Every structure is written in C-alpha cells, then in structure tokens.
Amino acid sequence: MNICKIHENASKCSVNTMECFMVLSTQAQKISIAMLCGLFGTLCIFENSLVLYLIFSSPRTRRKPSYLFISSLALADILASIIFACSFVNFHVFNETDLSKETFLLQLGGVNTSFSASLSSLLLTALDRYISISRPSEYKLLMTGKRAWIALGVVWVTCTTIASLPLLGWNCCTLDSTCSELFPFVDNNYLSSWICFIMVLLGCIVYAYAHVLWRAHQHMAYMEKHQVQVGKQNTRMRMDVMLAKTLVMVLAVLVLCWSPVLVLMIYSIFARLSNCLRKVFAFCSTLCLLNSMVNPIIYALRSKELYSSLRMVFSRFRRQLKASEESPEAESTHKSSMIET
C-alpha cells in the first residue's frame, strides 16, 4: 500500500502528493482528455465571444438587463474554459508537479470563481424572468440597468471571495484537517460548503423557473382565449415566454452536465473513491466545458434578437468576402484593357 492509497491529510501536504491525484494511467486516456478539453474549450471561447459581440454591438440588446446577465454568463464561461482547460490538461496530461500549493489553489480558485459566476448569472437571469412575468407593469422600474450592474458586481465579488477561501487559509494544510480525495490541498469541510452553495443556487433557479413556467402557461392560455386582443403587451409577453423557455433549456443542460460531478463530489465526502471512480470524475469534469459550449448555441437558436444579429453579421461577412474576391478580377480586367489600348 503506497502513499497515494491513504488520501492526504495535513501531514502529507506537499508537492509530491499531487502525483496521487494524477489518475490517468494510459496514454489513450491522456489523449482523450486533451482532445476533449481542446475541442470543448476552443468552441466555448469562440461561441461565447460571438455572443458577447452580438450583445454589445447592438445598442438595443446591451441596454437590456436580461442580456447583461447573459453576457455575464458568457464571460464566465470564457474564463472557465481558459482556466479550466489549461490547468486541467497541464495537471492530468502533462503531469505538472512543479506547482506550489499557492499556485494550484489560485488556479482552482479561478475555476471555482468562473463556474460559480456562471451559475449565479443564470440565477440572475431566472430572477429577471421571474420579475418580468410576475410583475410586468413594474418591471422597468424594478429592473433598471444600474441595478443590473450592481447585482452583477455583487455576484462576481461573492463568487471570487468564496473561491478564494482555500488560498486565504481554509485548506487542509493550514488547518491540519482532512483533505479531499478529489482535489489536492482542499479541505473536506470547504468542499462540503461549496457544494451546499451550488445546491442553494440550483434550488433558487429551479424555484424561479417553475414559477416562470407556470405563469407562462397561464399567459399562453389567456392569449389563446383572447386572440382578438393583440398588442404590445401580448407581443412582449410572447417574447418573455420564449426567453423563459430558452433559459429552461439552458438549465436542463446545466443540470445534466453538472449532476455527475456533484454526485461524485458528495460521495467523496462520505466514502472513499476507487481509482476507477476518480478517473470517471476526471472525464465527467469535461462535461462542465460541454455545458459552457452548448449555452451559446441555445441562445443563437432561441433568441430572435441574437439570431437576427448573427444573420446580419454573416451576411456582412459574405458581402465583404464577395467584394474581396471580385476586386482582383476587376483590377485584372482593367489592366488587360489598358494593355490592349
């Protein structure tokens, strides 16, 4: 029985113990992880960057609180993709053990901040839809651009603070406590607290969307019953219902991608994990990148404003490409005519 079998308590908090968490034993597993992180990470960065461009290039969308929250979600997914993909591949594929405890906890804090901010931004979007449908007449007074920016600031500061706690001292090396079996230097009590924080966020999101869907169903039934009355109120309500359904799809993808990771995290707190389960956890972690990659696709397909903006960008790109292809031909025709003259 080697040192890796007995998962690290504070007396074994050193750089050498990080090798115990490098669970990928074959070259095929390392190549698979590298390919998944590279593919999902690259597509995630490209798609979310495109979403940010579409939102902030239009004066109409960048002023709306709902799209400010979506842009916060896209920014969090970009940061999560960059930090997670680089640190995960560096650790599991290239087996980097030269990192100090502080450097590793800093990277882990960046990943936790990004994913927590992503989930919190989704919660803000859920609350925005909740207010829009439950109190439509007061929505513009309650949800202003200033309040949206303040809410985003509070969310990002809170997520950064919670994610920085291991780096600030809440780790098993400093406290001489039980370390997590999944993450080096991470205290089991901190992992339990972080899981509770995530579960509270998920619970609030589910509650908000359950209410949104219930009210949306009522509005749809009302509009079908009074088809004669069509106006701005009904048009705006249809847009709210469409956006609510879109974000429910986002939530469904989020739950499907994060459930395996959260279940294994919870299981690791109460029982020992075999090497097989730890390998499963490593591969399931890449589902978080998949979630960040799928979200922008849902926006583009479901949001009429973003979809129309995307079509405009592509049509502009095609016109520029066509113009660049035609200009050399026109220039060569002009030169040949000059030679003949």
Side-chain angles (χ1 to χ4, degrees), residues 149-179:
W149 282 108
I150 292 174
L152 288 174
V154 171
V155 159
W156 278 89
V157 170
T158 302
C159 293
T160 303
T161 302
I162 293 175
S164 301
L165 290 177
L167 185 62
L168 296 176
W170 193 355
N171 57 72
C172 56
C173 302
T174 304
L175 300 177
D176 194 20
S177 56
T178 304
C179 292

Side-chain angles (χ1 to χ4, degrees), residues 316-330:
R316 194 183 317 136
F317 176 75
R318 282 198 301 266
R319 285 197 303 267
Q320 292 177 353
L321 188 62
K322 188 177 180 180
S324 64
E325 289 177 351
E326 289 178 352
S327 57
E329 295 177 0

